[in-house]
Amino acid sequence: MLRLRVICSFSWRVFPFRPFSCEPLISQMDKCASEEQVFDLVERNKSTLSEKQVGYAFNILWQLQKQKTDLLKDVRCIRDHPQFPSLHSLTINKIKLMDDDTLVDVLHITQQFAVEAHDALVEALVMEAWRRLERFDINVLSKFSTCLADQHLYLSPLMGEIADIVHRNLEDIQDLRSLSVLMVNISSLISSRFQDQLVKKTELLFDTINCSDINIARRIVQFLRNANFSYYPLLEKCNKLFLSSMSHLDLESISKILGLYYSLQFHSFEFLVTVKKRLTEMALPFDNPASFVKLFVALGPIAGLEERKRLKSTLLLMSEELTSQQVLAVVGAMKEMESRNSHLNKKIASILHKHLDKYKPVELLKITHALISLQFRSKELFVKLRELLLSYLKTSVIPSEISVLVHALSMLPSSYVDEAAIARVDAVLPCCDLTELNDFATSVLRWIQYDHVYSDSIRGKQLKLLQKLDYYGCQRLQQSNSLDRLWKELKVLKGDWFLEVLLEDTFAALQRFMDEINYTNVAEIASFISKTSYLSASLLDRIASVVVQQIEKIHPFAILAVILPFSTLNYDPPQREEFFGTCMQRLNSYLGVLDPLVLVFLGFSLATVEYFPEDLLKAIFNIKFLARLDSQLEILPSSLSARIQFRLMELNRAVCLECPELQIPWFHDSFCQQQYNKDIGSMNGARQKIFKMLAEVLGGVCYVRSSILTSYHHTVDFECILDKRKKPIPYGSPNTTLGKLPQMYWESSMQIAGSRLPPGAERIALEFLDSRAFCRNIPHLKGKSAMKKRHLEILGYRVIQISPFEWNSMALSTQEARMNYLREHIFGEGKS
């Protein structure tokens, strides 16, 4: 008996996976150290395995895979294992006996093993889950929705049923983790009303999560991105959580968050600065292309000069190892970085050329955009790109895809397309929304404008196509029946075709739905109006009314967008003081939170409409803020950085001239000198003709000066001086003191205002404005030109602003008529 015990003990140690073992099967699975041991255990016990044990076998196989490093991990090895068919058949037979958790877990793990969606096991698991759908708890339902999403079934009836279940049970859901998963997966199927309900529910539950729940916050941002909804209250909460958890964020998470922020156009200076520091500190293996590409894409656009050089050098070394998707991500980042490294650009382009056949139409458009932006020229690459785009165009029937292909084709150096391509576009026009129609029109206009190799028949077809685009665009606007639906298409429209053909109909549609403007859409609509330069008093009055009445529901991040059209279009609403005062009250508690660039744009926009809130100006004009602004300028694209610097100068100038009592110093002399030196150039032909006319009107060239630079860096087209008897005073007269530099001087405003001129004399500034200085629909002066007029008057000028509508009118079609016009404006009525 003792001898038998010893033999049994020995066999237990050497052969632990024997079918007659008394140890529970699940415990034996827990001890498995490899997939082979799991499969052997299943094979030996397949006649007695329960549904729970089958599910546990899948779980152990998945855990073993997850423990492997990326280099060793190969999920297909499970699917392709010779013993997998046995487990496969066994699982199909046990499906109906599985509990809900096990059923969905097995489906999830099966998909992780790269088992095809049409496989009998996957189909059986999905069908059984569908039958049980109504009884699933929220956790199981969320996991099942992810399984469907992995199969790209976002628009399937089954996902629709899940959305309906969430809708019916939303009030009872308290688990934000599961809800956030469901929100992402059903986002393609929900209505605007349901979207609002989900957002409000998320806000209520957000305080139940802690700083370690980074993935929940990321999914919330992803849902907002999917819904194309920049809901600032939630974005702000998620951003705060990311900032507080920065030490827990890995490269993968940071890359995803930056991509989502970019899509939502959500800017957080604090997040970018913190991310830059975090990424710079990361000790990543540069021999791993996948990790390096993520680092390059995330850090490159915000890196300093030395960091960029290091990143580009490393990229050059491993460029040959990049996959098609990695090089696509890299070229997008290089576009953001405005790369001018010709050697690197050529290398990346050659890698793209090698992978070009692997890309989808939308990816080919990204590549085309990037190559044009990087000023890259390669005849061979562009020829192949064009061939691929045309081959896709011949077979595509989806309007959005065709618009992408046509857009990409129109950007190529040789954008010639044949009649078949034009016919393809023509065929899908009745199915297109405004976005697609706008893309088509922009492309056709580009063909007509830049390519001169077409035959008359092709040119004629293009013009007919353009007429059809005009018709369908206007028809779609006129037939729109709700602001929500219209706005989804309108908010991305831009370009010459939209502005020249659809603008009137667009504003007519917006005015029809004016009552539907509320706190949820007022900021976006206001921003849209400011970009069009179209002045609609009724729409702006409605916007101002909504803001005053619903200001507590409008997030401070949105206030700049709300103010912009009033500033840009130089329009005061009836309740001007209440409107701007309400906006500032909403902003005051956020002055230390808003991005520096937002504060600069806010200050400038308000200064344009002669509104100078002291709290805002004090928040901007101090050493601490300007240091923060300098830090932000370092991580912004050069074009945006230059624009912000110029706006700060303009704000500084406005405050010095219009609010001297605030005693804010003028500190942009050096900056303005640099700008002036860049802009110096000779007068064009039209300006020379005007100069000659003015010289004749005034009595000689010594009485007029051109391209004058005043103090505070305002430029004046032409200047003259009249004495108290309205007679011109020649320059160089002892009665006037001018600067040493030709055609420019720098004096204090008090000196210019009259102390250096003879008693009763006046300095006259003549400004010949172009159409951009006026609203698009009426000859109403826009904000910047109106502000310049105020400033020149403060500096002592009498300002004559001449509009192009008058100067180029039939009434002034002759030189004599123009001369008389100038005399009347310079000398006053009755002067001949």
Side-chain angles (χ1 to χ4, degrees), residues 78 87 91 272 284 305 322 345 430 599 688 782 815 821:
I78 304 294
L87 178 60
T91 307
L272 285 180
L284 291 172
L305 189 60
L322 299 180
N345 291 358
L599 285 186
Q688 288 177 6
K782 287 164 67 175
Q815 182 164 333
Y821 177 88

Side-chain angles (χ1 to χ4, degrees), residues 5 13 63 176 196 269 286 319 345 353 422-423 478 507 556 573 609 642 710 725 750 781-782:
R5 271 188 197 170
R13 289 194 305 271
Q63 294 302 321
L176 187 54
D196 292 340
F269 165 64
F286 284 147
S319 56
N345 291 358
H353 197 166
I422 294 174
Q478 291 162 5
F507 274 82
V609 293
T710 74
R725 293 187 299 274
M750 286 301 293
L781 199 63
K782 287 164 67 175

Side-chain angles (χ1 to χ4, degrees), residues 478-641:
Q478 291 162 5
Q479 293 178 353
S480 56
N481 55 19
S482 82
L483 182 58
D484 279 347
R485 291 181 183 175
L486 176 64
W487 186 244
K488 286 179 181 177
E489 299 179 32
L490 270 187
K491 60 185 176 183
V492 294
L493 293 192
K494 58 183 177 181
D496 292 340
W497 179 73
F498 164 67
L499 293 173
E500 292 172 10
V501 176
L502 298 186
L503 202 56
E504 290 289 341
D505 285 315
T506 296
F507 274 82
L510 287 173
Q511 286 164 349
R512 282 203 317 271
F513 304 126
M514 199 158 54
D515 291 341
E516 296 179 40
I517 297 176
N518 56 42
Y519 72 93
T520 64
N521 54 30
V522 68
E524 286 187 318
I525 292 172
S527 178
F528 173 81
I529 291 173
S530 67
K531 291 172 186 174
T532 64
S533 294
Y534 189 103
L535 178 56
S536 168
S538 58
L539 276 173
L540 291 179
D541 289 347
R542 170 64 182 176
I543 287 169
S545 175
V546 168
V547 170
V548 169
Q549 292 172 16
Q550 304 180 27
I551 189 65
E552 292 302 323
K553 297 179 181 178
I554 299 172
H555 196 277
F557 290 175
I559 297 297
L560 173 60
V562 165
I563 290 171
L564 269 177
F566 299 92
S567 164
T568 304
L569 303 176
N570 187 29
Y571 180 78
D572 282 341
Q575 68 276 51
R576 170 193 155 91
E577 293 303 318
E578 185 181 8
F579 169 68
F580 290 121
T582 300
C583 288
M584 275 313 303
Q585 284 178 4
R586 188 75 176 107
L587 278 171
N588 279 337
S589 62
Y590 270 75
L591 293 180
V593 177
L594 291 169
D595 275 9
L597 70 88
V598 173
L599 285 186
V600 171
F601 286 134
L602 265 169
F604 172 76
S605 297
L606 290 169
T608 305
V609 293
E610 299 181 79
Y611 196 84
F612 297 92
E614 193 169 342
D615 288 343
L616 175 61
L617 296 176
K618 285 181 178 178
I620 294 173
F621 292 105
N622 65 74
I623 299 298
K624 184 178 178 181
F625 172 84
L626 294 175
R628 287 183 70 225
L629 180 62
D630 284 342
S631 298
Q632 185 168 28
L633 294 178
E634 291 176 3
I635 61 176
L636 291 175
S638 58
S639 55
L640 178 56
S641 177

